[in-house]
Amino acid sequence: MAKPNLMILIEACCNHDRMTGVKDTEHKKIKMEGVIVVFIPIVSVAVIGVLLIFYRKYTNDERMALIEKGADAKIFNLASQRSYGPLRFAFLMIGLGVGLLIGAPLEEARIMEEGVSYASMILIFGGIGLYYSHILESKKRKDEDKVE
């Protein structure tokens, strides 16, 4: 009796690993890599969530301790603090962009390897951008303190 086409296909799939020499350990390795790829984001989000919860809890405990002692808890008011975050972010992005622009010719001229040229230039110019934003922030703070 002739085998149905489906049975032939199933047997071919089952025998494929034996015919190609693929071992069970290679399948297990691939499955384990898949598990790791799935769990890394899940664990990362969970850890960040736990850290945020503990940060909020301890900030609240500090605020309550200051209030119990009769001290002023205005240091926790984020709205009253001057924010230079956008300035820092802008200079960091400018530095990263310049780092990419400088890294490309270095890699093309074979002065540095591809990964090294981009990574080093991004870090160097990103750091320079953050340093420059720090200088501007401190000048602005001095000017604002003189006015007040």
Side-chain angles (χ1 to χ4, degrees):
M1 182 172 156
K3 292 184 182 179
N5 289 338
L6 182 61
M7 291 299 292
I8 295 171
L9 183 65
I10 292 172
E11 285 179 7
C13 290
C14 293
N15 292 329
H16 176 73
D17 292 345
R18 289 188 207 115
M19 292 171 22
T20 58
V22 176
K23 299 179 182 175
D24 287 338
T25 56
E26 291 176 16
H27 286 295
K28 289 178 184 177
K29 183 178 178 184
I30 291 171
K31 287 180 184 178
M32 191 58 157
E33 288 174 358
V35 169
I36 290 172
V37 168
V38 169
F39 277 113
I40 285 177
I42 293 171
V43 171
S44 299
V45 168
V47 167
I48 290 171
V50 169
L51 288 175
L52 287 174
I53 290 170
F54 277 108
Y55 174 75
R56 294 291 303 219
K57 179 188 180 305
Y58 289 120
T59 303
N60 189 41
D61 290 347
E62 287 180 55
R63 184 178 297 147
M64 295 310 265
L66 282 173
I67 291 172
E68 286 176 5
K69 289 182 180 179
D72 194 15
K74 287 185 180 179
I75 60 170
F76 293 104
N77 292 341
L78 296 176
S80 66
Q81 296 177 356
R82 296 180 205 118
S83 174
Y84 294 104
L87 179 69
R88 264 186 240 130
F89 183 73
F91 278 112
L92 176 63
M93 290 296 114
I94 290 169
L96 295 179
V98 170
L100 282 171
L101 286 174
I102 301 294
L106 288 175
E107 187 261 326
E108 287 296 322
R110 304 278 186 224
I111 296 172
M112 300 174 108
E113 293 181 22
E114 182 179 347
V116 175
S117 66
Y118 285 112
S120 63
M121 292 300 113
I122 287 172
L123 291 173
I124 288 170
F125 284 101
I128 290 171
L130 287 174
Y131 180 71
Y132 189 68
S133 71
H134 171 71
I135 291 171
L136 283 179
E137 286 175 25
S138 41
K139 284 182 182 178
K140 281 187 173 186
R141 283 195 179 117
K142 285 180 185 176
D143 291 343
E144 289 174 359
D145 290 341
K146 287 180 184 177
V147 172
E148 290 176 4

